[in-house]
Amino acid sequence: MIGCLGTFITGSDTSSNILFGKLQASVAGQIHVSPDWLSAANTVGATGGKIISPQSIAIATSAGNQQGKEGEILKAAIPNALVYVAITGLIVYIFSS
């Protein structure tokens, strides 16, 4: 979820990973989980955030000649992003235990 939030805010998977990657690795050490799994979860979550990133939606609406429909697209995309992040979070939880 943190990676998703990071991409939503910054508009970039890479920026989200740079912003929160170290945080995820240090939390992994404190809760005795593999830092590899939490870092991977951050990256996967960042990809989920790209679905609802305002920058991505603006580019898509412009390319598809759908200007003015950004809010509708965001509203439709949020459930998909949340399901994606929940499923991948569950997978990470199962395999990192």
Side-chain angles (χ1 to χ4, degrees):
M1 195 56 125
I2 292 173
C4 180
L5 179 64
T7 300
F8 178 77
I9 292 169
T10 65
S12 166
D13 294 11
T14 305
S15 296
S16 177
N17 290 332
I18 291 169
L19 188 62
F20 293 118
K22 184 84 170 160
L23 170 71
Q24 297 284 46
S26 88
V27 167
Q30 292 179 356
I31 62 172
H32 308 292
V33 177
S34 169
D36 298 336
W37 275 104
L38 280 191
S39 296
N42 189 73
T43 301
V44 171
T47 305
K50 198 69 172 166
I51 296 169
I52 58 172
S53 171
Q55 294 87 339
S56 297
I57 292 174
I59 291 168
T61 57
S62 181
N65 201 23
Q66 301 286 317
Q67 292 90 347
K69 296 186 178 182
E70 291 86 356
E72 294 173 35
I73 293 171
L74 178 61
K75 193 187 305 184
I78 286 175
N80 295 318
L82 291 176
V83 167
Y84 174 82
V85 170
I87 289 171
T88 55
L90 183 62
I91 290 169
V92 168
Y93 176 76
I94 290 169
F95 284 104
S96 68
S97 299

